[in-house]
């Protein structure tokens, strides 16, 4: 695939995320999406098989990115507390940079085609387990289900940014990181 089609696909995905976040998946037509991208609605079909395929690629790719970078950050950390701090930093950074995707993931999950929904579910389970493993390495007596619940609670706090991000990004990053680390029982870095 040449750079132009990749750039166009990325543009379509970014534009779709903005539109879906503002109006909901079902509130955006193919014609709306095409017009916002500066192409005709039918021209979208050169890049994606359907509007459902746009949503699927959008949500599968963010789940893949969260897991891939999360694994890298955890593996590079010298010990579990540092790994958790790196995971929190990564997730906060992601949430602040991709507010529309957080909204779409939360609101339009049920609109995902079945295969994509299952793929996202698997990736998200692995991401939760990555966090839970670090929590259990830090506290070997921590039951797995409790560690997973703690990870989910931290995600909920961090993913609230599209709705509660009333501060500029830098102070919001610090606040969310401090709060998420505290929720996980770790001291904040600053």
């Amino acid at each position: 695939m040449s750079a132009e089609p990749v750039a166009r696909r990325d543009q379509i995905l970014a534009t779709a995320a903005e539109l879906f976040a503002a109006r909901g998946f079902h509130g955006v037509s193919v014609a709306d999406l095409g017009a916002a991208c500066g192409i005709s609605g039918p021209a979208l079909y050169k890049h994606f098989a359907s509007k459902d395929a746009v949503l699927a690629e959008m949500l599968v790719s963010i789940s893949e990115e969260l897991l891939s970078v999360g694994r890298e950050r955890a593996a590079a950390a010298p010990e579990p507390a540092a790994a958790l701090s790196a995971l929190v930093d990564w997730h906060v950074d992601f949430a602040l940079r991709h507010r529309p995707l957080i909204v779409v993931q939360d609101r339009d999950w049920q609109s995902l085609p079945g295969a994509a929904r299952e793929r996202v579910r698997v990736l998200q389970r692995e991401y939760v387990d990555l966090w839970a493993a670090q929590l259990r390495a830090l506290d070997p007596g921590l039951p797995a289900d409790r560690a997973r619940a703690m990870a989910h609670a931290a995600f909920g706090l961090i993913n609230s940014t599209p709705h509660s991000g009333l501060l500029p990004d830098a102070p919001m990053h610090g606040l969310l990181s401090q709060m998420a680390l505290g929720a996980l029982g770790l001291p904040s870095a600053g």
Side-chain angles (χ1 to χ4, degrees):
M1 197 177 279
S2 73
E4 194 280 320
V6 170
R8 177 62 81 178
R9 283 177 69 85
D10 291 345
Q11 177 205 13
I12 292 167
L13 288 168
T15 302
E18 293 283 342
L19 290 174
F20 294 169
R23 296 192 236 163
F25 176 73
H26 295 293
V28 177
S29 70
V30 170
D32 295 333
L33 184 51
C37 292
I39 59 177
S40 70
L44 280 172
Y45 297 120
K46 291 182 354 188
H47 304 281
F48 293 94
S50 65
K51 188 175 82 164
D52 289 350
V54 172
L55 181 65
E57 183 166 327
M58 180 187 304
L59 296 184
V60 168
S61 68
I62 66 168
S63 297
E64 289 171 342
E65 183 180 357
L66 281 167
L67 179 59
S68 173
V69 175
R71 283 178 173 158
E72 290 170 11
R73 299 261 177 121
E79 43 86 26
L84 284 164
S85 184
L87 288 168
V88 165
D89 183 65
W90 158 237
H91 198 108
V92 169
D93 181 61
F94 183 91
L96 288 172
R97 284 185 298 111
H98 300 291
R99 284 176 172 94
L101 291 174
I102 301 295
V103 172
V104 172
Q105 164 71 30
D106 183 48
R107 186 181 52 215
D108 295 314
W109 163 260
Q110 292 302 322
S111 297
L112 269 175
R117 190 176 319 126
E118 185 53 33
R119 178 73 179 135
V120 169
R121 216 179 252 132
V122 167
L123 290 163
Q124 288 178 345
R125 238 181 264 125
E126 290 179 32
Y127 188 59
V128 168
D129 286 345
L130 174 66
W131 285 58
Q134 297 304 319
L135 286 164
R136 294 187 76 210
L138 197 60
D139 178 2
L142 184 65
D145 59 346
R146 185 169 176 86
R148 285 186 196 98
M150 291 170 69
H152 278 287
F155 300 161
L157 188 151
I158 295 167
N159 290 343
S160 71
T161 56
H163 312 290
S164 64
L166 303 177
L167 298 174
D169 283 358
M172 192 66 185
H173 189 288
L175 178 64
L176 286 170
S177 295
Q178 178 184 19
M179 293 179 73
L181 290 168
L184 295 170
L186 296 166
S188 68

